[in-house]
PDB file of all heavy atoms in Angstrom:
ATOM      1  N   ASP A   1     293.856 213.321-117.907  1.00  0.00           N
ATOM      2  CA  ASP A   1     293.073 212.247-118.642  1.00  0.00           C
ATOM      3  C   ASP A   1     292.846 212.698-120.005  1.00  0.00           C
ATOM      4  O   ASP A   1     292.661 213.847-120.294  1.00  0.00           O
ATOM      5  CB  ASP A   1     291.764 212.021-117.823  1.00  0.00           C
ATOM      6  CG  ASP A   1     291.912 211.185-116.614  1.00  0.00           C
ATOM      7  OD1 ASP A   1     292.966 210.597-116.340  1.00  0.00           O
ATOM      8  OD2 ASP A   1     290.940 211.274-115.782  1.00  0.00           O
ATOM      9  N   THR A   2     292.779 211.727-120.868  1.00  0.00           N
ATOM     10  CA  THR A   2     292.289 211.853-122.219  1.00  0.00           C
ATOM     11  C   THR A   2     290.833 211.815-122.298  1.00  0.00           C
ATOM     12  O   THR A   2     290.257 210.769-121.763  1.00  0.00           O
ATOM     13  CB  THR A   2     292.921 210.880-123.263  1.00  0.00           C
ATOM     14  OG1 THR A   2     294.343 211.058-123.236  1.00  0.00           O
ATOM     15  CG2 THR A   2     292.470 211.087-124.639  1.00  0.00           C
ATOM     16  N   ILE A   3     290.104 212.871-122.631  1.00  0.00           N
ATOM     17  CA  ILE A   3     288.680 212.987-122.441  1.00  0.00           C
ATOM     18  C   ILE A   3     287.974 212.923-123.808  1.00  0.00           C
ATOM     19  O   ILE A   3     288.303 213.824-124.638  1.00  0.00           O
ATOM     20  CB  ILE A   3     288.296 214.242-121.676  1.00  0.00           C
ATOM     21  CG1 ILE A   3     289.040 214.221-120.283  1.00  0.00           C
ATOM     22  CG2 ILE A   3     286.732 214.268-121.454  1.00  0.00           C
ATOM     23  CD1 ILE A   3     289.010 215.694-119.597  1.00  0.00           C
ATOM     24  N   ASP A   4     286.975 212.038-123.993  1.00  0.00           N
ATOM     25  CA  ASP A   4     286.181 212.059-125.176  1.00  0.00           C
ATOM     26  C   ASP A   4     284.645 212.116-124.729  1.00  0.00           C
ATOM     27  O   ASP A   4     284.409 211.638-123.691  1.00  0.00           O
ATOM     28  CB  ASP A   4     286.421 210.734-126.013  1.00  0.00           C
ATOM     29  CG  ASP A   4     287.695 210.663-126.586  1.00  0.00           C
ATOM     30  OD1 ASP A   4     288.138 211.563-127.349  1.00  0.00           O
ATOM     31  OD2 ASP A   4     288.550 209.744-126.272  1.00  0.00           O
ATOM     32  N   VAL A   5     283.852 212.664-125.600  1.00  0.00           N
ATOM     33  CA  VAL A   5     282.456 212.617-125.436  1.00  0.00           C
ATOM     34  C   VAL A   5     281.728 211.952-126.683  1.00  0.00           C
ATOM     35  O   VAL A   5     282.180 212.189-127.733  1.00  0.00           O
ATOM     36  CB  VAL A   5     281.798 214.148-125.383  1.00  0.00           C
ATOM     37  CG1 VAL A   5     280.377 214.074-125.396  1.00  0.00           C
ATOM     38  CG2 VAL A   5     282.373 214.839-124.164  1.00  0.00           C
ATOM     39  N   THR A   6     280.958 211.009-126.343  1.00  0.00           N
ATOM     40  CA  THR A   6     280.077 210.360-127.359  1.00  0.00           C
ATOM     41  C   THR A   6     278.719 210.982-127.272  1.00  0.00           C
ATOM     42  O   THR A   6     278.182 211.168-126.261  1.00  0.00           O
ATOM     43  CB  THR A   6     280.101 208.843-127.229  1.00  0.00           C
ATOM     44  OG1 THR A   6     279.539 208.461-126.060  1.00  0.00           O
ATOM     45  CG2 THR A   6     281.519 208.228-127.480  1.00  0.00           C
ATOM     46  N   THR A   7     278.147 211.141-128.557  1.00  0.00           N
ATOM     47  CA  THR A   7     276.825 211.684-128.614  1.00  0.00           C
ATOM     48  C   THR A   7     276.067 210.871-129.666  1.00  0.00           C
ATOM     49  O   THR A   7     276.528 210.620-130.788  1.00  0.00           O
ATOM     50  CB  THR A   7     276.867 213.174-128.997  1.00  0.00           C
ATOM     51  OG1 THR A   7     277.650 213.882-128.222  1.00  0.00           O
ATOM     52  CG2 THR A   7     275.468 213.822-129.043  1.00  0.00           C
ATOM     53  N   SER A   8     274.789 210.537-129.314  1.00  0.00           N
ATOM     54  CA  SER A   8     273.890 209.828-130.300  1.00  0.00           C
ATOM     55  C   SER A   8     272.447 210.315-130.047  1.00  0.00           C
ATOM     56  O   SER A   8     272.191 210.764-128.946  1.00  0.00           O
ATOM     57  CB  SER A   8     274.177 208.299-130.271  1.00  0.00           C
ATOM     58  OG  SER A   8     273.793 207.893-128.994  1.00  0.00           O
ATOM     59  N   CYS A   9     271.648 210.166-131.032  1.00  0.00           N
ATOM     60  CA  CYS A   9     270.356 210.395-130.941  1.00  0.00           C
ATOM     61  C   CYS A   9     269.485 209.244-130.496  1.00  0.00           C
ATOM     62  O   CYS A   9     269.538 208.238-130.974  1.00  0.00           O
ATOM     63  CB  CYS A   9     269.711 210.843-132.298  1.00  0.00           C
ATOM     64  SG  CYS A   9     267.998 211.420-132.265  1.00  0.00           S
ATOM     65  N   GLU A  10     268.863 209.417-129.237  1.00  0.00           N
ATOM     66  CA  GLU A  10     268.147 208.310-128.682  1.00  0.00           C
ATOM     67  C   GLU A  10     266.742 208.250-129.185  1.00  0.00           C
ATOM     68  O   GLU A  10     266.110 207.113-129.339  1.00  0.00           O
ATOM     69  CB  GLU A  10     268.171 208.491-127.099  1.00  0.00           C
ATOM     70  CG  GLU A  10     267.560 207.382-126.310  1.00  0.00           C
ATOM     71  CD  GLU A  10     267.843 207.538-124.820  1.00  0.00           C
ATOM     72  OE1 GLU A  10     267.472 208.581-124.428  1.00  0.00           O
ATOM     73  OE2 GLU A  10     268.517 206.672-124.333  1.00  0.00           O
ATOM     74  N   LYS A  11     266.192 209.391-129.454  1.00  0.00           N
ATOM     75  CA  LYS A  11     264.660 209.517-129.879  1.00  0.00           C
ATOM     76  C   LYS A  11     264.428 210.852-130.574  1.00  0.00           C
ATOM     77  O   LYS A  11     264.942 211.811-130.244  1.00  0.00           O
ATOM     78  CB  LYS A  11     263.891 209.340-128.536  1.00  0.00           C
ATOM     79  CG  LYS A  11     262.309 209.518-128.832  1.00  0.00           C
ATOM     80  CD  LYS A  11     261.561 209.477-127.603  1.00  0.00           C
ATOM     81  CE  LYS A  11     260.128 209.757-127.789  1.00  0.00           C
ATOM     82  NZ  LYS A  11     259.424 210.056-126.523  1.00  0.00           N
ATOM     83  N   VAL A  12     263.543 210.779-131.618  1.00  0.00           N
ATOM     84  CA  VAL A  12     262.994 211.879-132.322  1.00  0.00           C
ATOM     85  C   VAL A  12     261.578 211.900-132.087  1.00  0.00           C
ATOM     86  O   VAL A  12     260.858 211.030-132.546  1.00  0.00           O
ATOM     87  CB  VAL A  12     263.435 212.015-133.722  1.00  0.00           C
ATOM     88  CG1 VAL A  12     262.891 213.261-134.378  1.00  0.00           C
ATOM     89  CG2 VAL A  12     264.973 212.035-133.837  1.00  0.00           C
ATOM     90  N   GLY A  13     261.018 212.933-131.391  1.00  0.00           N
ATOM     91  CA  GLY A  13     259.608 213.125-131.292  1.00  0.00           C
ATOM     92  C   GLY A  13     258.995 214.056-132.352  1.00  0.00           C
ATOM     93  O   GLY A  13     259.636 214.257-133.327  1.00  0.00           O
ATOM     94  N   ASN A  14     257.793 214.544-131.989  1.00  0.00           N
ATOM     95  CA  ASN A  14     257.206 215.482-132.972  1.00  0.00           C
ATOM     96  C   ASN A  14     257.909 216.771-133.021  1.00  0.00           C
ATOM     97  O   ASN A  14     258.200 217.389-134.118  1.00  0.00           O
ATOM     98  CB  ASN A  14     255.689 215.721-132.690  1.00  0.00           C
ATOM     99  CG  ASN A  14     254.989 214.506-132.818  1.00  0.00           C
ATOM    100  OD1 ASN A  14     255.144 213.747-133.767  1.00  0.00           O
ATOM    101  ND2 ASN A  14     253.871 214.229-132.122  1.00  0.00           N
ATOM    102  N   LYS A  15     258.314 217.370-131.738  1.00  0.00           N
ATOM    103  CA  LYS A  15     258.925 218.607-131.682  1.00  0.00           C
ATOM    104  C   LYS A  15     260.230 218.541-130.942  1.00  0.00           C
ATOM    105  O   LYS A  15     260.936 219.488-130.711  1.00  0.00           O
ATOM    106  CB  LYS A  15     258.044 219.658-131.060  1.00  0.00           C
ATOM    107  CG  LYS A  15     256.777 219.960-131.834  1.00  0.00           C
ATOM    108  CD  LYS A  15     255.979 220.967-131.005  1.00  0.00           C
ATOM    109  CE  LYS A  15     254.791 221.473-131.854  1.00  0.00           C
ATOM    110  NZ  LYS A  15     254.045 222.569-131.171  1.00  0.00           N
ATOM    111  N   SER A  16     260.614 217.336-130.459  1.00  0.00           N
ATOM    112  CA  SER A  16     261.780 217.196-129.619  1.00  0.00           C
ATOM    113  C   SER A  16     262.814 216.158-130.172  1.00  0.00           C
ATOM    114  O   SER A  16     262.498 215.197-130.882  1.00  0.00           O
ATOM    115  CB  SER A  16     261.436 216.825-128.103  1.00  0.00           C
ATOM    116  OG  SER A  16     260.832 215.558-128.097  1.00  0.00           O
ATOM    117  N   ILE A  17     263.980 216.305-129.719  1.00  0.00           N
ATOM    118  CA  ILE A  17     265.030 215.418-129.947  1.00  0.00           C
ATOM    119  C   ILE A  17     265.700 215.099-128.605  1.00  0.00           C
ATOM    120  O   ILE A  17     266.114 215.953-127.725  1.00  0.00           O
ATOM    121  CB  ILE A  17     266.106 216.010-130.850  1.00  0.00           C
ATOM    122  CG1 ILE A  17     265.517 216.408-132.204  1.00  0.00           C
ATOM    123  CG2 ILE A  17     267.381 215.114-131.121  1.00  0.00           C
ATOM    124  CD1 ILE A  17     266.418 217.391-133.085  1.00  0.00           C
ATOM    125  N   THR A  18     265.962 213.724-128.370  1.00  0.00           N
ATOM    126  CA  THR A  18     266.667 213.368-127.162  1.00  0.00           C
ATOM    127  C   THR A  18     267.963 212.770-127.496  1.00  0.00           C
ATOM    128  O   THR A  18     268.163 211.889-128.249  1.00  0.00           O
ATOM    129  CB  THR A  18     265.792 212.255-126.394  1.00  0.00           C
ATOM    130  OG1 THR A  18     264.541 212.697-126.106  1.00  0.00           O
ATOM    131  CG2 THR A  18     266.465 211.774-125.141  1.00  0.00           C
ATOM    132  N   LEU A  19     268.978 213.421-126.982  1.00  0.00           N
ATOM    133  CA  LEU A  19     270.425 212.867-127.145  1.00  0.00           C
ATOM    134  C   LEU A  19     270.870 212.129-125.912  1.00  0.00           C
ATOM    135  O   LEU A  19     270.548 212.541-124.709  1.00  0.00           O
ATOM    136  CB  LEU A  19     271.320 214.171-127.331  1.00  0.00           C
ATOM    137  CG  LEU A  19     271.101 215.010-128.585  1.00  0.00           C
ATOM    138  CD1 LEU A  19     272.070 216.092-128.627  1.00  0.00           C
ATOM    139  CD2 LEU A  19     271.039 214.140-129.890  1.00  0.00           C
ATOM    140  N   ARG A  20     271.647 211.171-126.186  1.00  0.00           N
ATOM    141  CA  ARG A  20     272.334 210.380-125.133  1.00  0.00           C
ATOM    142  C   ARG A  20     273.829 210.621-125.294  1.00  0.00           C
ATOM    143  O   ARG A  20     274.361 210.534-126.364  1.00  0.00           O
ATOM    144  CB  ARG A  20     272.074 208.911-125.250  1.00  0.00           C
ATOM    145  CG  ARG A  20     272.765 208.024-124.328  1.00  0.00           C
ATOM    146  CD  ARG A  20     272.245 206.645-124.145  1.00  0.00           C
ATOM    147  NE  ARG A  20     273.084 205.685-123.441  1.00  0.00           N
ATOM    148  CZ  ARG A  20     273.226 205.816-122.081  1.00  0.00           C
ATOM    149  NH1 ARG A  20     272.732 206.812-121.340  1.00  0.00           N
ATOM    150  NH2 ARG A  20     273.963 204.907-121.524  1.00  0.00           N
ATOM    151  N   GLN A  21     274.433 211.029-124.204  1.00  0.00           N
ATOM    152  CA  GLN A  21     275.935 211.334-124.173  1.00  0.00           C
ATOM    153  C   GLN A  21     276.704 210.660-123.064  1.00  0.00           C
ATOM    154  O   GLN A  21     276.074 210.250-122.035  1.00  0.00           O
ATOM    155  CB  GLN A  21     276.130 212.735-124.147  1.00  0.00           C
ATOM    156  CG  GLN A  21     275.558 213.581-125.209  1.00  0.00           C
ATOM    157  CD  GLN A  21     275.921 215.022-125.112  1.00  0.00           C
ATOM    158  OE1 GLN A  21     275.303 215.757-124.305  1.00  0.00           O
ATOM    159  NE2 GLN A  21     276.993 215.587-125.843  1.00  0.00           N
ATOM    160  N   GLN A  22     277.994 210.382-123.338  1.00  0.00           N
ATOM    161  CA  GLN A  22     278.744 209.869-122.342  1.00  0.00           C
ATOM    162  C   GLN A  22     280.166 210.449-122.329  1.00  0.00           C
ATOM    163  O   GLN A  22     280.572 210.853-123.518  1.00  0.00           O
ATOM    164  CB  GLN A  22     279.095 208.277-122.568  1.00  0.00           C
ATOM    165  CG  GLN A  22     277.780 207.470-122.340  1.00  0.00           C
ATOM    166  CD  GLN A  22     278.214 205.967-122.635  1.00  0.00           C
ATOM    167  OE1 GLN A  22     278.954 205.649-123.486  1.00  0.00           O
ATOM    168  NE2 GLN A  22     277.507 205.062-121.907  1.00  0.00           N
ATOM    169  N   ILE A  23     280.772 210.755-121.226  1.00  0.00           N
ATOM    170  CA  ILE A  23     282.079 211.210-121.088  1.00  0.00           C
ATOM    171  C   ILE A  23     282.993 209.959-120.852  1.00  0.00           C
ATOM    172  O   ILE A  23     282.714 209.362-119.875  1.00  0.00           O
ATOM    173  CB  ILE A  23     282.270 212.326-120.050  1.00  0.00           C
ATOM    174  CG1 ILE A  23     281.405 213.535-120.408  1.00  0.00           C
ATOM    175  CG2 ILE A  23     283.644 212.785-120.057  1.00  0.00           C
ATOM    176  CD1 ILE A  23     281.499 214.611-119.289  1.00  0.00           C
ATOM    177  N   LEU A  24     283.988 209.782-121.600  1.00  0.00           N
ATOM    178  CA  LEU A  24     284.776 208.587-121.499  1.00  0.00           C
ATOM    179  C   LEU A  24     286.272 209.052-121.210  1.00  0.00           C
ATOM    180  O   LEU A  24     286.763 210.085-121.666  1.00  0.00           O
ATOM    181  CB  LEU A  24     284.953 207.835-122.781  1.00  0.00           C
ATOM    182  CG  LEU A  24     283.494 207.373-123.464  1.00  0.00           C
ATOM    183  CD1 LEU A  24     283.820 206.792-124.817  1.00  0.00           C
ATOM    184  CD2 LEU A  24     282.881 206.355-122.599  1.00  0.00           C
ATOM    185  N   VAL A  25     286.849 208.313-120.274  1.00  0.00           N
ATOM    186  CA  VAL A  25     288.319 208.345-120.162  1.00  0.00           C
ATOM    187  C   VAL A  25     288.847 206.890-120.588  1.00  0.00           C
ATOM    188  O   VAL A  25     288.530 206.022-119.932  1.00  0.00           O
ATOM    189  CB  VAL A  25     288.756 208.626-118.718  1.00  0.00           C
ATOM    190  CG1 VAL A  25     290.218 208.490-118.485  1.00  0.00           C
ATOM    191  CG2 VAL A  25     288.185 209.978-118.333  1.00  0.00           C
ATOM    192  N   GLY A  26     289.547 207.007-121.759  1.00  0.00           N
ATOM    193  CA  GLY A  26     289.854 205.669-122.443  1.00  0.00           C
ATOM    194  C   GLY A  26     288.517 205.070-122.817  1.00  0.00           C
ATOM    195  O   GLY A  26     287.701 205.695-123.427  1.00  0.00           O
ATOM    196  N   ASP A  27     288.218 203.761-122.426  1.00  0.00           N
ATOM    197  CA  ASP A  27     287.058 203.174-122.680  1.00  0.00           C
ATOM    198  C   ASP A  27     286.110 203.145-121.520  1.00  0.00           C
ATOM    199  O   ASP A  27     284.987 202.551-121.573  1.00  0.00           O
ATOM    200  CB  ASP A  27     287.336 201.684-123.107  1.00  0.00           C
ATOM    201  CG  ASP A  27     288.001 201.527-124.338  1.00  0.00           C
ATOM    202  OD1 ASP A  27     287.827 202.414-125.233  1.00  0.00           O
ATOM    203  OD2 ASP A  27     288.781 200.545-124.524  1.00  0.00           O
ATOM    204  N   GLU A  28     286.448 203.792-120.367  1.00  0.00           N
ATOM    205  CA  GLU A  28     285.633 203.795-119.204  1.00  0.00           C
ATOM    206  C   GLU A  28     284.647 204.990-119.162  1.00  0.00           C
ATOM    207  O   GLU A  28     285.073 206.079-119.356  1.00  0.00           O
ATOM    208  CB  GLU A  28     286.488 203.821-118.024  1.00  0.00           C
ATOM    209  CG  GLU A  28     285.807 203.650-116.746  1.00  0.00           C
ATOM    210  CD  GLU A  28     286.731 203.591-115.442  1.00  0.00           C
ATOM    211  OE1 GLU A  28     287.870 203.036-115.637  1.00  0.00           O
ATOM    212  OE2 GLU A  28     286.258 203.980-114.388  1.00  0.00           O
ATOM    213  N   VAL A  29     283.449 204.727-119.002  1.00  0.00           N
ATOM    214  CA  VAL A  29     282.461 205.704-118.888  1.00  0.00           C
ATOM    215  C   VAL A  29     282.510 206.472-117.569  1.00  0.00           C
ATOM    216  O   VAL A  29     282.435 205.821-116.460  1.00  0.00           O
ATOM    217  CB  VAL A  29     280.995 205.242-119.129  1.00  0.00           C
ATOM    218  CG1 VAL A  29     279.895 206.278-118.867  1.00  0.00           C
ATOM    219  CG2 VAL A  29     280.933 204.532-120.476  1.00  0.00           C
TER     220      VAL A  29
END
């Protein structure tokens, strides 16, 4: 499979950062 990871910042708190990620094969999560 061709594998991609998407990463984005979901939230920034006072001392923390929450990242949301997905592993995709094509357009399918």
Side-chain angles (χ1 to χ4, degrees):
D1 288 339
T2 300
I3 305 166
D4 292 302
V5 171
T6 59
T7 307
S8 58
C9 183
E10 187 171 60
K11 177 184 172 189
V12 178
N14 291 329
K15 295 183 176 186
S16 66
I17 299 166
T18 303
L19 296 183
R20 176 166 170 67
Q21 294 183 284
Q22 295 180 323
I23 299 177
L24 305 172
V25 172
D27 292 331
E28 188 176 328
V29 177

